[in-house]
Amino acid sequence: MHPAFSVVFFTTATGAGYGLLALLGLLGGLGYIPADFWLGFVGMGLALGLIAAGLLSSTGHLGRPERAWRAFSQWRSSWLSREGVASVATFVPACMFGIGWVLLGRNGGWVAIAGLLAAAGAVTTVCTTGMIYASLKPIAQWHSRYTLPAYLIFAAMTGSVLANALLQGFKLGSMAVLIAALLATLAGWAWKLATWRYNDRLDIPTTANTATGLAGGTVRSIEWPHTEENYLLKEMGFRIARKHSAKLRRIAQGLAFIAPAALLAAAFVLPWPFVAIASALAAMSQLAGMLVERWLFFAEAKHTVTLYYGRE
């Protein structure tokens, strides 16, 4: 039993991709980042590549991937469907922005409008992704005020760190982007610590008695409702030892927050090309750390349905 890697990779890759896309659309369209072909080609390629890879990996989580298109029809009631619609819709202004900024070398005008629309679409898509989990009442660790802001903060954090690495690599380093990347990393670390503190103190009143509506004694499960495991037990009933959870939390903090913050802080005083190397290492470390953090996000969550399987 383990969280599906396809979903772990999906949330990590798309968060970073949409964060980078939003920054490129905003800063590139308004002229704060020059319309350089290779900068734009690598930057937009990286952003759209991460998004596409994440979206494609999510289909691996489906029992019948060929039916994935049907999810788009439920946008009135499903956050998953809204996410799909928003992700596809965002590609339209993103491609228009890419054509104007990268191929035509233009800023402002319709290119700026397309960039702003792409940035707005990226933020909207990240919000819908966060709401998929925040709206799930049976999972108390997700149904909290920390989930949706975490998705936005982590997207801004990974996106700004990637943008800084990109600019430093092309000798176009911006002090404002470097400062934003460092502050976003520290903000992400603080928010993650607050989330863990909240979840560790979480008092879940639901028991087998309240779940079944039975009283007059302690309800216990004498056998499972079925003979084989289902996806809820595999992905939302994962049991991780407290010592392993603590170790993985330290690894996530070190890779996703501490090491990138230290490398970004060093970038303030390093000459080129060392500043570019430090920025690239910060981005790679952070993405690796976010994979661990996202795995914990799923592994430490408990679905209420596990009460029917004799678990507390």
Side-chain angles (χ1 to χ4, degrees):
M1 297 188 300
H2 55 81
F5 180 76
S6 60
V7 178
V8 174
F9 179 79
F10 160 72
T11 54
T12 303
T14 55
Y18 281 121
L20 178 58
L21 175 62
L23 285 173
L24 292 178
L26 180 63
L27 301 178
L30 296 178
Y32 291 104
I33 298 178
D36 179 81
F37 175 80
W38 286 111
L39 171 66
F41 181 79
V42 174
M44 289 298 293
L46 180 60
L48 296 179
L50 285 170
I51 294 169
L55 292 175
L56 288 174
S57 73
S58 68
T59 62
H61 183 247
L62 303 176
R64 300 293 295 272
E66 69 275 10
R67 297 179 181 176
W69 63 271
R70 295 184 180 181
F72 291 87
S73 65
Q74 307 301 313
W75 59 269
R76 292 180 181 86
S77 59
S78 169
W79 283 107
L80 178 62
S81 182
R82 292 166 187 164
E83 178 199 41
V85 172
S87 63
V88 172
T90 301
F91 271 95
V92 176
C95 290
M96 292 179 61
F97 169 70
I99 292 172
W101 189 53
V102 180
L103 298 181
L104 302 180
R106 295 179 58 180
N107 296 111
W110 66 269
V111 176
I113 295 174
L116 292 175
L117 289 175
V123 173
T124 301
T125 306
V126 172
C127 285
T128 58
T129 303
M131 284 303 301
I132 292 174
Y133 304 101
S135 64
L136 295 178
K137 294 182 179 180
I139 306 177
Q141 290 85 356
W142 295 351
H143 188 64
S144 76
R145 62 183 182 273
Y146 289 95
T147 301
L148 177 57
Y151 272 82
L152 291 170
I153 292 171
F154 292 153
M157 177 185 74
T158 51
S160 60
V161 172
L162 282 173
N164 175 68
L166 182 68
L167 292 174
Q168 298 292 356
F170 282 90
K171 293 187 179 181
L172 297 171
S174 166
M175 185 62 67
V177 173
L178 178 56
I179 293 173
L182 178 57
L183 292 179
T185 298
L186 295 176
W189 188 14
W191 194 261
K192 189 72 249 186
L193 290 175
T195 303
W196 281 332
R197 188 179 303 111
Y198 172 82
N199 288 341
D200 290 342
R201 297 176 179 177
L202 194 60
D203 182 20
I204 303 176
T206 306
T207 63
N209 287 70
T210 60
T212 58
L214 301 175
T218 301
V219 175
R220 294 185 177 89
S221 175
I222 59 175
E223 64 178 339
W224 283 18
H226 44 77
T227 57
E228 295 182 356
E229 292 179 347
N230 59 17
Y231 80 97
L232 282 175
L233 285 179
K234 291 180 179 179
E235 298 178 21
M236 297 181 187
F238 184 76
R239 287 179 288 186
I240 180 171
R242 185 179 297 272
K243 64 178 181 179
H244 294 153
S245 178
K247 180 180 179 180
L248 288 173
R249 285 185 180 186
R250 290 193 295 269
I251 293 174
Q253 289 183 76
L255 290 175
F257 308 113
I258 298 175
L263 288 166
L264 291 172
F268 281 97
V269 297
L270 291 173
W272 203 88
F274 299 106
V275 63
I277 295 173
S279 298
L281 290 175
M284 290 186 288
S285 174
Q286 189 164 84
L287 289 176
M290 288 306 299
L291 286 173
V292 179
E293 185 279 329
R294 289 291 87 185
W295 189 90
L296 278 173
F297 175 77
F298 290 99
E300 293 182 327
K302 297 294 180 291
H303 198 291
T304 307
V305 75
T306 56
L307 291 170
Y308 290 98
Y309 298 86
R311 299 182 183 178
E312 298 297 330

